[in-house]
Amino acid sequence: MSRWAYVNGRFVRHGDAAVHIEDRGYQLADGVYEVWAVFGGKLADSLGHFERLERSLDELRIARPMSRKALELVLREAVRRNRVNDGLVYLQVTRGVARRDHAFPDPQPAPAVVITAKNTDQKGAAAKAAKGVGVITLPESRWGRCDIKTIGLLPNAIAKQAAREQGAMEAWFVDPEGLVTEGASSNAWIVDAEGVLRTRDTSANILRGVTRKSIISLLGEQNIRFEERAFTPDEAKGAREAFITGAGTLVMPVVTVDGEKIGDGAPGPVATRLRALYIEAAQASIT
Ligand code: PDD
């Protein structure tokens, strides 16, 4: 099946899609991105991702490339053309093309937009969730504005590679105070030794995960004690459960941290329940 990408105003064959060599995203990582999960061909948590996209653009003073409504139409078209049933849509917006100069170009170029969409292996993901995954911990090495979803992901890529080389799926960054910030591409959670569900608050230097927020809103009807409070790697290792959340992983149980078993080494009941609840809610609220 042929794949299609949206590049600056038109759909082109994925293999022919290209951007300019002086796109500031390419040269300076001067751009932002979003990833939506797709369920049944529809965008999940749509609003939260649009809101965060607009915030990221505003924080970097990159112009909005089109209205939210227009963008949504293009995203849906990308899903349709690529026959995505369950998968992901990726959107990136850069400051655009300009002669290389670190400061922002004046006048501003048109922002450059790229969209791709793909199916993902849901059966494989479910099998992984049934077994759980490993994470490693690493010192925080990212810049101080991780609340902006920028395409400058080199520290994240290096951390992910380190995880892979150690047989783990994710890397958790640990700040100078010894507290876990978040994963290279997900938010981090534990059910601590006292049975309290914990994830770091978003006032510090982490991405305000859309999945994270949806899960918190789902907790109301569950009988789960919850606190937005950071934890150390040792607290995670002594926790009853751990898991990660994000558009790519949804809710993924974590069964080892730095090779040490969490709980009895199997996905815990809270993570398993929240995964099912999130998928159900996302399927119900899709736009
Ligand atoms: N990553 N933290 C980081 C650093 C992330 O990159 C992501 C998402 C999250 C979770 O955010 P959300 O729930 O809104 O997806 C947290 C995407 C999926 C990625 O980079 O592919």
Side-chain angles (χ1 to χ4, degrees):
M1 194 203 81
S2 53
R3 288 187 68 198
W4 294 90
Y6 176 89
V7 185
N8 295 325
R10 60 199 183 99
F11 280 94
V12 292
R13 286 192 185 278
H14 194 272
D16 299 330
V19 294
H20 196 282
I21 56 166
E22 284 191 317
D23 187 295
R24 286 178 61 95
Y26 178 60
Q27 293 196 330
L28 301 161
D30 186 3
V32 304
Y33 76 106
E34 274 300 329
V35 181
W36 283 257
V38 179
F39 290 105
K42 306 273 175 58
L43 304 180
D45 269 335
S46 180
L47 189 64
H49 288 285
F50 277 115
E51 284 173 354
R52 190 175 59 195
L53 170 70
E54 288 163 7
R55 182 178 176 277
S56 294
L57 290 169
D58 292 351
E59 289 294 313
L60 296 180
R61 290 193 270 151
I62 296 174
R64 296 184 188 177
M66 58 186 104
S67 71
R68 197 187 279 189
K69 203 150 197 107
L71 197 52
E72 197 167 350
L73 282 176
V74 185
L75 291 169
R76 284 192 199 175
E77 179 62 11
V79 168
R80 194 191 66 77
R81 281 194 187 228
N82 289 287
R83 298 194 194 144
V84 178
N85 192 42
D86 294 322
L88 296 168
V89 185
Y90 174 83
L91 160 76
Q92 98 168 33
V93 182
T94 73
R95 198 179 303 276
V97 175
R99 214 165 103 157
R100 188 173 182 277
D101 176 10
H102 289 66
F104 300 169
D106 184 17
Q108 275 192 50
V113 182
V114 167
I115 297 169
T116 57
K118 64 179 181 190
N119 279 295
T120 53
D121 173 12
Q122 290 306 302
K123 271 201 192 132
K128 212 176 247 181
K131 245 180 100 201
V133 300
V135 304
I136 61 166
T137 60
L138 291 171
E140 181 65 87
S141 56
R142 301 173 300 161
W143 74 324
R145 290 303 308 273
C146 295
D147 57 308
I148 304 172
K149 199 162 171 63
T150 84
I151 57 173
L153 290 174
L154 189 53
N156 308 56
I158 291 169
K160 206 66 139 181
Q161 180 61 20
R164 182 173 296 175
E165 287 172 8
Q166 293 177 45
M169 189 204 188
E170 179 60 299
W172 282 353
F173 293 113
V174 180
D175 71 13
E177 282 76 52
L179 296 164
V180 172
T181 52
E182 63 181 326
S185 65
S186 59
N187 288 115
W189 304 65
I190 59 168
V191 178
D192 71 16
E194 276 72 52
V196 179
L197 176 63
R198 282 162 62 183
T199 192
R200 189 181 181 115
D201 74 75
T202 53
S203 62
N205 187 30
I206 68 165
L207 190 74
R208 297 171 187 179
V210 174
T211 318
R212 174 191 180 282
K213 194 172 166 195
S214 289
I215 301 248
I216 292 172
S217 71
L218 288 173
L219 290 174
E221 297 132 45
Q222 304 302 311
N223 197 14
I224 296 173
R225 276 188 295 156
F226 169 63
E227 277 178 40
E228 283 186 278
R229 181 155 62 92
F231 51 85
T232 64
D234 278 346
E235 282 179 295
K237 288 167 195 172
R240 294 183 191 176
E241 295 186 40
F243 61 93
I244 54 176
T245 60
T249 42
L250 309 177
V251 178
M252 184 58 72
V254 169
V255 292
T256 62
V257 175
D258 292 331
E260 290 185 33
K261 232 195 249 178
I262 307 305
D264 60 3
V270 173
T272 304
R273 175 145 54 109
L274 290 178
R275 180 177 174 87
L277 275 175
Y278 177 73
I279 291 174
E280 195 185 305
Q283 280 169 335
S285 68
I286 45 187
T287 53

